[in-house]
Amino acid sequence: MKIHVLKGFIQNIFLVEYPDKCMLLDGCSKADFSTLADFFERSLKRPLSDLKVVVVTHMHPDHAGCALFLRHKTGCKIVSCDKQTQWYSGLKGRLAHLIDIALALWVAGKMNRPKKNIWYPPHLRPDIALSDQQTIPGFEEWQVFETPGHTDRDLSVMHMPSKRIYIADLIVRVKGKLSPPFPVYKPKQYKQSLLKLQALQTRSVMMAHVGELSLTDSDFAYLLSKAPLKPKTNKLAIQKMIKSKLFKTRLQS
């Protein structure tokens, strides 16, 4: 088993390769399809149809954006969290979907990425819905763990023999330091997820926006100290920004 790390549109792509099959540890961005197709053809020398499973850890554009397109192109199975509701449900959900796409494009601009279409459907119906500690069919060495907080349905995926775990956006890096992500919708669950990750005593942690590192107890202590006590969401950030601008306008008038 090999794990390849590819440079995605705004995130790292972790691709698991076996002699007879491959699995993506996340659903990437819609802009990453050509990167994946080229890697299979030029580096792996195997057809893209060898991709048998795509995990979607949560519904943000850089983690779910290419999943449905890959299923259409390859017939792969989509694995995700066992939730009865859609993350982007209702009118507010559709608005949040648009905001998240806009924020992903903003991040891409900050990273000097070329402009690309990253539109993807807001709803996902996985082929396989898994709950905490279940294994991935066809890839039984891999076990999923529910690690919510960033959203209500975040999954982490661990290779049990090697104790290497992919945690998507559970931890990011801000100004050179490991940090909780933005947004955090469920702060209490976020802290519980950090503690769960620490208790797993993994050999290394693969992060979508950091890379692969071995985390120490001091790293976890720092992250727990920085974990928000209240929700930090896009909606609240926008409301705060508007209030701040209105306040400055009043002071200047």
Side-chain angles (χ1 to χ4, degrees):
M1 186 275 296
K2 297 179 182 178
I3 300 178
H4 303 280
V5 185
L6 287 65
K7 204 69 175 176
F9 186 50
I10 60 172
Q11 84 295 337
N12 294 306
I13 300 169
F14 291 88
L15 175 68
V16 180
E17 182 190 15
Y18 287 88
D20 59 334
K21 58 192 175 184
C22 295
M23 174 174 64
L24 273 174
L25 296 183
D26 225 334
C28 308
S29 161
K30 182 66 178 295
D32 293 318
F33 177 77
S34 59
T35 300
L36 286 168
D38 288 347
F39 186 75
F40 269 81
E41 180 182 354
R42 298 179 184 180
S43 298
L44 299 184
K45 308 295 184 185
R46 57 195 301 173
L48 187 59
S49 58
D50 279 357
L51 180 64
K52 301 303 181 184
V53 165
V54 174
V55 180
V56 172
T57 61
H58 62 290
M59 282 302 295
H60 286 159
D62 49 334
H63 300 270
C66 204
L68 292 175
F69 192 67
L70 284 167
R71 182 165 67 182
H72 171 71
K73 289 290 187 180
T74 69
C76 66
K77 301 295 185 183
I78 295 177
V79 170
S80 196
C81 191
D82 189 6
K83 288 285 184 180
Q84 299 302 311
T85 58
Q86 295 288 337
W87 174 245
Y88 293 119
S89 62
L91 185 60
K92 290 183 179 179
R94 293 302 182 92
L95 178 59
H97 181 243
L98 294 174
I99 291 172
D100 286 340
I101 289 174
L103 286 173
L105 290 171
W106 178 81
V107 170
K110 289 288 185 180
M111 297 173 68
N112 295 317
R113 298 288 190 264
K115 291 183 179 180
K116 291 190 177 182
N117 175 21
I118 62 168
W119 172 263
Y120 68 109
H123 290 175
L124 178 73
R125 299 195 183 281
D127 301 286
I128 302 166
L130 297 181
S131 300
D132 195 52
Q133 299 187 44
Q134 290 187 305
T135 57
I136 297 175
F139 293 83
E140 281 75 14
E141 290 183 336
W142 293 84
Q143 189 174 19
V144 303
F145 293 88
E146 295 180 19
T147 50
H150 180 48
T151 72
D152 71 340
R153 63 194 64 213
D154 304 81
L155 285 181
S156 295
V157 194
M158 184 156 75
H159 183 243
M160 301 304 291
S162 66
K163 300 283 281 185
R164 297 166 73 187
I165 190 168
Y166 173 71
I167 63 168
D169 287 354
L170 186 65
I171 300 170
V172 299
R173 180 178 278 143
V174 177
K175 296 180 179 178
K177 293 185 177 181
L178 297 179
S179 171
F182 178 85
V184 172
Y185 282 87
K186 306 285 184 180
K188 289 183 180 180
Q189 291 183 18
Y190 178 74
K191 279 195 171 185
Q192 291 169 358
S193 294
L194 284 177
L195 291 170
K196 177 188 280 191
L197 176 61
Q198 185 177 21
L200 286 172
Q201 296 185 328
T202 59
R203 194 190 87 188
S204 65
V205 178
M206 296 174 278
M207 295 162 276
H209 300 282
V210 179
E212 186 171 6
L213 296 174
S214 295
L215 300 184
T216 65
D217 286 339
S218 61
D219 290 325
F220 283 106
Y222 177 79
L223 288 163
L224 287 164
S225 72
K226 294 297 181 180
L229 301 177
K230 296 180 180 180
K232 289 190 173 183
T233 68
N234 297 335
K235 178 183 175 182
L236 294 173
I238 291 170
Q239 288 175 343
K240 184 177 180 180
M241 181 181 68
I242 292 172
K243 287 179 181 179
S244 176
K245 287 186 176 180
L246 287 173
F247 180 71
K248 288 180 180 177
T249 302
R250 287 174 183 172
L251 286 177
Q252 293 170 357
S253 61

